[in-house]
Structure formats: structure tokens, C-alpha cells
Amino acid sequence: MEGIVFPEEREVIRIKVKKCEGLMQPEYRKFAVDPQITSYEVLRHTLRRAFHLQSDFTISYLSHDSEGQEVWLSLLSDWDLDAAFISSSHPYLRLRVDARPFEDALDDWDIISSKDTPEPVPHPVVPNAPNNRQKPSTQPLRRSLFSSVQTTLTRMTQVLSFNDTKEEEDEKPMKPALSDTEFHSFLDEAGRLIRPEDLRLRIYHGGVDPALRKVVWRHLLNVYPAGMGGKERMDYMKRKANEYLKLKAKFLAQDTEEAQFVKNMVKKDVLRTDRTLDFFAVPDEHPNITALSNILTTFALTHPDVSYCQGMSDFASPLLVTMRDEAQAYVCFCALMNRIKPNFMLDGEAMTHKFQHLTELMHCVAPEFTEYLYKQQAEDLFFCYRWMLLELKREFAYYDALRMLEVMWSSLPPSPPQKDLELIDNVAIMANLSIPRYPYNEADRRQKGRRSSSSSNQSISPKSREHRVPNRKSRRRTSSNSDKEDGNHNSMVDGRGSRLPSKDAEPKPTNRTTQQITHGGSSSTHNNGKSALVPNGPKAAIPNGELPSPARSPMVFKKQLNGLSMSSLPPPDKFGYGNPFMLFLCLTILLQHQDIIMREQMDYNDIAMHFDKHVRKHNVNKVLNKARTLFAEYLKAQLQKSASSNGSGPNQC
């Protein structure tokens, strides 16, 4: 299997570490790491656990200058770690950890005086300074000192409380990330995953330790068939990796006009995907860039029914960064695309359902905000197109987005392949689907989507269409420009007019079981003998037997939403096209910006540009915690509705 990150193939690198902390005796540790999966963050985490570090610390590694003299160089990023692995690890890599004692950390604090702290906020008592509130001098010295110290501590606590307690709690993770010890508690002696639903519930509340993502993500993405032991999974991944290498060699060697078209489209997007990240901040010919291109091109040529579309690189990127192996990343990408493929289909059915459901959810939770959006002709929420197409991957800083994604994946029930994960769509290839039938450029898909969906707008009066369509064109121009500044795919900011199915589109049936989660708790509710968070149903129910068009008159659209409540929303296996928690993430972000949007009287263009300015800037803990609370309320309402329905007879819903 070819390497990606390291030009020299080495399975293990031995490390010797010396920890220095002030005048204390140095401590030493020895361990070995796999350079293919060890990132800078993983190394820091390992060192923190090895030395039980509670405060901040710096890392440096021993190297040699041009004259051969030993010199300690700072280790601050993945780039530095790669350099250390390559140039300074023979026969072992020597690291030095400099821990900062608590007293040194206080040097970073500003001294707050009475002039800096306005009344009525209290300030710390300065020793030997006059104090009008001092006790009389006749008070016993011990009691006076105790009182003064207690008052000082109280005032210091008040001064250093920069945020409200509730706000601080909102910014904390609900639980610590899943550790290696915890993960093994979900496995039996042979390494078989015996409690997949409980594992997902644990990850839902706290995420995954970055050092474990390479292993745990494969379970979340449903890579393995059920019941595999540890050795079986290793053999399975080796077999799948070899299968990928054969597919890549066969299909990338194609020199047809269709294959060249795909390669050009993929290359164009890969060269602007996450290039600010250390892993991709490399020359265009770097193996990391080539690996991402190989994954996307191979998938497109082996899956002609969906082929390639802008946005897929955003999903492949975190898989490659986490797996640090091209073949394994491709296997995970195929597993992920089994679920999200409808996002990129030309019929637009999945995206249309998601917009409809998000609008209904908004009306349930924030009717006043929804009313404001009606007045601004933004009730269809198409400025959220990028959010739902990419499942909010770009709305958080990169590594925060990884945690958001794993929490979202864990909210879905296990859905392992029955026998084997397919890496190629043989049915589509045997059907001889022609790749040019499916445009890869998002703008081209929209143009084709507008033609195919024109029948869905026939119920709208010509006067209504004349009033709304020109306004939408101006919206697209404004939004796309702001996304260009982000250095990514500018056509995905606003999906208006793209991929809308016909009015007569019928939902496909699903046989997923509904599974729930309790409010703020760690227990799951059982249904039909199974347990998980929510089902991964692929299709959504159509209210009133028809698929509403986002271009419908605002008053008609508003009337349809009146009377909606959490219990009247579609069930979890259909809500959000089988990914309901994503809708609550979108809802949370909207609610966080509700006040400023309404206060500034933003119209559609203003709202789109406002959210473009907040790309990768949202607080992941705040969003996840609030989304979990809202999601729990929805699930509770759905449970009550299900119980009521079961008790009232089979014909009621």
C-alpha cells in the first residue's frame, strides 16, 4: 500500500522524551508511534497523558545544524513533526517537553486595580493598600486575616468570571471524548463490536479522542459487516485496500473523453479544497493532493450514476486526513457516499425534502423569526444550501468540524453492509451509463435541474413567478461572490433553482426502525428490540401527499405551516431525509444569529453574506449542546406521538 504523508516507509518510530519543569527532577518516557497515523495533535495528547500534564507545555526535538552541532528545534505543527520523523529519528527521535508551572502561567495575567474595574464590580484587595471596608483594628488578628482572605478570594472569583456561568457551561463538551479504554469496553475478547448502539450514544455525547478516529470512524461509517473480530477487520481492510488499488489502476488508466472530463473537474476542485490545512498546504504535485484526486476520480468513474459533483471533495478531505492512507480513505468514502449520495443526484429530491423539513422545524421553534423570513422572501432558507449539501462541514474550524461530523454520524443507527462494502457500482457500469449525462459543475446541474423541475412550478400564477424569479437571480450573484472569497466552490452557496424534482415525485419506502434518545441522558429507548439514536431512513414523507415547491407563494406556504408542532413533524427515519440531527444543527446556528438578523433588518442577500462571513467561525460546543437539547425535545414528542398512536389503534397517525 502506498504511503501518503511520509516519503520513507517506516512502520514504527521510537521516541525518547525528557520532561523538564522548573527546578524539579526531569522525567523520562519511551514509546513508539506509527508515523502514518500520528499527527501533531495526537502526539501532544500522548505526551499529556504520559506525563499527566495539567498545564500548558511546549515540545522541541533534537536535530543537527549544517555544521553537525546538536540543536533543539521547536515542534509546533504537523509540518515540524513530519520533518522530525524524516530527518531526526535515527535510531530514535529525541523530544523535550517543557512544562510551564502554575506560577509562570500567572505571568500572562494582567493585574487588575480599582481604576481598571468600574463599580459596582468588586475588585481584589491589594495588600497594604487602604480599604474603607476593613474591620476595626480591635478585631483579633486571626479572624481579621481569615475574613480578608475570604473576601479577597470571593472578589477575585467575581473579577475573573468573564462569562456568565450558564454561557460557560454551554461552551463545555457534554462529556469527555471517547477514550481507548472506553472503546475497548464495547468489544468482546475477540475484538467484535458487541454494543454498537451504546457506542454511538457515547460518541454522540462526547465525540472521539483524535487518536482513535482512524479506528472508530470506520464503525460509524458502516465500513465493516456486522460480527467481525479484530483480526477479521484487519484482513478485511487489507483486502479492500488491494481491491481499491486494482480499481484505481484500471480506471485511472482510461484515456477516453469522458474520463478526461472527470479528471479535469476533480483536479479543479481538489486544488482548492482545504488548502489552508497543513496536510494540504503543499505543492500541487504533492502525494497528499494526488491521493485526494485519486480517491474522487476513481469513485466518479466507478459510480457513473452519481459520478462527481462539487462538494464531494469536502467529504473526502477529512477522511484522508484522518486515515492517512489513500486506500483506507477510499473505502470509508464509499461507505459515506452510500448515505449522502442523494445530496448529489440530479433529481434534487433529497435537498428539496431537507429544505422543506428545515422550514417546518423553524416554524415550530421560532415562529416570529420564520414570519420575518417570510417578509424578506427568504422563507425557503436557500441560504442554508451549503450547510445541508456539505452537512455543515465548512461552518466550523476544521478540527471542530471533525468532531461535529462524528457526533452527527453517531446520531444515526448502525447500518453495516450485509456481506461486503461495494467499492464499485457494477449495476450502473453494466447499464453503460454515459458520464456526460450528469454534469459535474454545480452551475450546470442547476441549469439542467431548472429545466427538469419546471413542471413543479406550474401551480404558481405567472404573476407570482414574475415577482420572485428575478429576485432569486440577484441572490445567486451576491452569494456566490462571497463564497469565492473563501477559496472554495462558489456555486454551492445557494442552491436556488437546482435539483428540484417534479411535483409528482413519490418517496421510496424505507424499513428502518425508529430509535430514540432521552433528553440530556445517556440511555437509549428500545423499539422492536433494537436500540440507537435515530434511523437512517433514506426517504422523507411528503406532507399532504405532494412535494411542496420552494417557489410557492409565501402566504400559501405560511398557511401550510400553521399549526405545526414537534409531534407533527415527520418521524426520525424520514425527517431530514434520514439525518434529522443535521436539521437541528442548522436550526441552532440560525437561532444564534436570529437577533442580529432581525435587529439589522437583513434581507435575503444580507443574510447570505452574513453567514458567508461566519464560515468556520461557529462555536462547535455551543452549537452541539443546543442542538442536542432541541433534538431531545423533538424525540420526546415523537415518542409520545408513537405511544399515543399505538394505544389508539393502527389506523391513526
Side-chain angles (χ1 to χ4, degrees):
M1 188 177 301
E2 60 184 302
I4 293 178
V5 179
F6 307 101
E8 182 179 358
E9 295 284 353
R10 298 180 62 189
E11 294 184 355
V12 175
I13 288 183
R14 294 178 294 172
I15 298 179
K16 291 185 178 181
V17 190
K18 175 183 178 181
K19 190 202 81 169
C20 303
E21 185 172 359
L23 300 178
M24 299 175 62
Q25 288 292 330
E27 296 181 43
Y28 298 88
R29 297 286 189 276
K30 294 180 181 180
F31 54 89
V33 299
D34 182 350
Q36 302 292 340
I37 64 174
T38 304
S39 66
Y40 173 70
E41 290 299 328
V42 170
L43 178 63
R44 284 189 64 90
H45 178 78
T46 303
L47 294 174
R48 185 181 295 277
R49 294 181 61 179
F51 292 105
H52 305 287
L53 295 169
Q54 302 297 324
S55 59
D56 194 15
F57 62 93
T58 59
I59 310 173
S60 52
Y61 69 96
L62 185 62
S63 184
H64 294 82
D65 59 18
S66 57
E67 298 179 357
Q69 299 295 321
E70 292 187 347
V71 57
W72 289 94
L73 301 178
S74 297
L75 205 161
L76 303 172
S77 67
D78 286 331
W79 281 96
D80 297 333
L81 184 58
D82 290 351
F85 282 155
I86 294 171
S87 63
S88 304
S89 58
H90 296 281
Y92 51 80
L93 177 63
R94 292 177 57 185
L95 300 180
R96 186 178 71 194
V97 173
D98 292 294
R100 300 183 61 189
F102 181 73
E103 291 78 4
D104 293 345
L106 291 178
D107 294 339
D108 294 337
W109 291 80
D110 293 329
I111 298 176
I112 303 175
S113 66
S114 58
K115 296 180 180 180
D116 299 320
T117 310
E119 294 292 333
V121 179
H123 56 276
V125 176
V126 181
N128 302 324
N131 189 339
N132 295 332
R133 298 183 181 181
Q134 288 180 346
K135 298 293 181 181
S137 58
T138 57
Q139 187 178 29
L141 179 60
R142 180 181 298 177
R143 185 176 175 185
S144 177
L145 286 174
F146 178 82
S147 178
S148 298
V149 170
Q150 188 177 34
T151 303
T152 300
L153 290 175
T154 301
R155 291 177 176 177
M156 283 292 292
T157 301
Q158 292 174 328
V159 170
L160 298 179
S161 295
F162 297 109
N163 297 308
D164 180 77
T165 304
K166 184 178 183 303
E167 185 175 348
E168 289 180 348
E169 291 297 323
D170 289 342
E171 294 186 4
K172 294 180 180 178
M174 181 175 289
K175 286 186 177 181
L178 176 75
S179 66
D180 182 67
T181 303
E182 283 184 287
F183 174 64
H184 281 83
S185 70
F186 297 100
L187 307 176
D188 64 10
E189 294 180 355
R192 283 185 291 268
L193 183 61
I194 54 177
R195 294 187 292 145
E197 294 87 359
D198 292 339
L199 173 63
R200 287 173 178 261
L201 187 62
R202 175 61 184 86
I203 296 170
Y204 175 80
H205 286 122
V208 181
D209 188 313
L212 290 177
R213 281 178 176 151
K214 181 175 182 179
V215 174
V216 176
W217 276 20
R218 298 174 192 167
H219 294 280
L220 292 179
L221 294 172
N222 301 303
V223 169
Y224 303 118
M228 279 190 170
K231 188 177 186 307
E232 291 174 305
R233 289 196 297 269
M234 292 180 61
D235 295 340
Y236 177 82
M237 289 303 296
K238 289 180 181 179
R239 177 165 58 85
K240 284 296 173 184
N242 290 331
E243 182 181 343
Y244 162 71
L245 295 177
K246 293 178 182 178
L247 289 175
K248 182 179 74 168
K250 176 181 178 180
F251 283 87
L252 264 60
Q254 293 182 0
D255 195 26
T256 63
E257 181 180 353
E258 298 175 359
Q260 194 59 46
F261 178 70
V262 172
K263 294 175 184 178
N264 291 339
M265 287 302 303
V266 169
K267 181 179 180 180
K268 180 180 178 181
D269 287 347
V270 164
L271 292 180
R272 56 187 182 183
T273 298
D274 296 325
R275 294 305 294 270
T276 58
L277 191 70
D278 287 346
F279 189 88
F280 294 114
V282 292
D284 293 351
E285 296 77 19
H286 193 277
N288 294 1
I289 304 296
T290 303
L292 184 59
S293 178
N294 290 343
I295 291 170
L296 295 168
T297 304
T298 304
F299 181 86
L301 295 176
T302 55
H303 296 77
D305 61 329
V306 61
S307 193
Y308 177 75
C309 183
Q310 288 179 342
M312 291 182 181
S313 59
D314 281 272
F315 289 105
S317 164
L319 298 177
L320 181 60
V321 171
T322 299
M323 299 298 151
R324 299 290 172 121
D325 182 278
E326 180 182 323
Q328 294 183 18
Y330 179 84
V331 175
C332 293
F333 184 69
C334 288
L336 177 60
M337 285 300 296
N338 282 341
R339 179 178 64 83
I340 65 172
K341 181 171 71 171
N343 286 8
F344 302 98
M345 297 303 288
L346 186 61
D347 59 14
E349 180 182 345
M351 296 299 293
T352 301
H353 280 91
K354 290 177 182 180
F355 278 112
Q356 171 68 11
H357 291 167
L358 181 57
T359 302
E360 294 174 359
L361 179 60
M362 276 284 293
H363 188 80
C364 291
V365 178
E368 292 184 3
F369 190 27
T370 309
E371 176 70 19
Y372 172 83
L373 295 176
Y374 282 133
K375 295 177 181 178
Q376 300 298 329
Q377 296 189 0
E379 75 282 356
D380 48 21
L381 304 174
F382 264 64
F383 51 82
C384 303
Y385 185 81
R386 179 184 64 235
W387 303 2
M388 289 193 281
L389 180 68
L390 305 182
E391 296 195 334
L392 295 145
K393 182 255 183 181
R394 288 196 204 162
E395 309 316 308
F396 303 91
Y398 192 86
Y399 290 105
D400 286 346
L402 300 189
R403 186 150 68 89
M404 180 277 301
L405 287 172
E406 66 195 13
V407 170
M408 182 193 303
W409 296 338
S410 69
S411 72
L412 304 170
S415 181
Q418 294 297 322
K419 294 182 179 179
D420 219 6
L421 177 66
E422 296 294 339
L423 304 187
I424 180 174
D425 189 345
N426 287 308
V427 175
I429 291 178
M430 291 180 65
N432 197 26
L433 292 179
S434 178
I435 290 175
R437 293 169 55 185
Y438 299 89
Y440 301 90
N441 182 279
E442 184 70 16
D444 293 341
R445 287 185 179 237
R446 290 180 182 179
Q447 184 64 30
K448 196 165 186 176
R450 279 195 292 270
R451 291 195 297 268
S452 64
S453 63
S454 59
S455 60
S456 65
N457 297 329
Q458 306 238 339
S459 60
I460 308 170
S461 65
K463 183 177 181 180
S464 174
R465 285 198 296 269
E466 291 173 1
H467 174 70
R468 296 179 60 80
V469 171
N471 191 30
R472 292 176 180 179
K473 292 181 179 179
S474 65
R475 293 176 186 178
R476 283 197 297 274
R477 287 194 297 269
T478 305
S479 302
S480 62
N481 290 337
S482 60
D483 206 37
K484 281 182 180 179
E485 297 172 2
D486 186 45
N488 285 292
H489 317 312
N490 57 14
S491 56
M492 288 188 298
V493 177
D494 187 335
R496 190 176 301 277
S498 69
R499 305 166 185 252
L500 298 180
S502 66
K503 181 178 177 181
D504 299 326
E506 293 293 337
K508 297 180 182 179
T510 175
N511 56 2
R512 304 283 184 185
T513 56
T514 303
Q515 301 165 342
Q516 311 291 356
I517 188 173
T518 58
H519 176 73
S522 60
S523 63
S524 56
T525 303
H526 295 257
N527 191 9
N528 296 333
K530 297 184 179 181
S531 171
L533 301 183
V534 295
N536 189 15
K539 302 299 177 184
I542 301 176
N544 301 325
E546 67 173 0
L547 184 63
S549 167
R552 181 169 295 176
S553 166
M555 294 307 298
V556 175
F557 206 67
K558 176 182 176 183
K559 184 177 180 180
Q560 181 185 5
L561 296 178
N562 282 338
L564 279 177
S565 63
M566 284 286 195
S567 61
S568 64
L569 295 172
D573 62 328
K574 305 181 189 304
F575 198 39
Y577 213 73
N579 186 6
F581 186 66
M582 184 195 67
L583 296 184
F584 288 88
L585 292 170
C586 295
L587 172 65
T588 300
I589 294 178
L590 288 169
L591 294 179
Q592 288 180 348
H593 295 264
Q594 171 184 346
D595 291 342
I596 187 173
I597 289 174
M598 296 180 67
R599 184 173 64 249
E600 299 294 333
Q601 289 292 300
M602 296 183 185
D603 61 14
Y604 178 91
N605 290 333
D606 296 331
I607 296 172
M609 290 188 291
H610 172 77
F611 282 116
D612 286 344
K613 293 177 182 177
H614 285 80
V615 168
R616 300 186 181 90
K617 295 181 180 179
H618 293 98
N619 186 310
V620 70
N621 286 331
K622 275 189 173 182
V623 173
L624 283 175
N625 289 343
K626 181 63 175 178
R628 290 188 189 104
T629 301
L630 294 169
F631 189 40
E633 294 176 5
Y634 161 77
L635 292 176
K636 182 179 179 180
Q638 292 294 312
L639 276 175
Q640 293 173 346
K641 180 177 70 172
S642 177
S644 175
S645 175
N646 292 336
S648 302
N651 295 326
Q652 298 185 17
C653 52

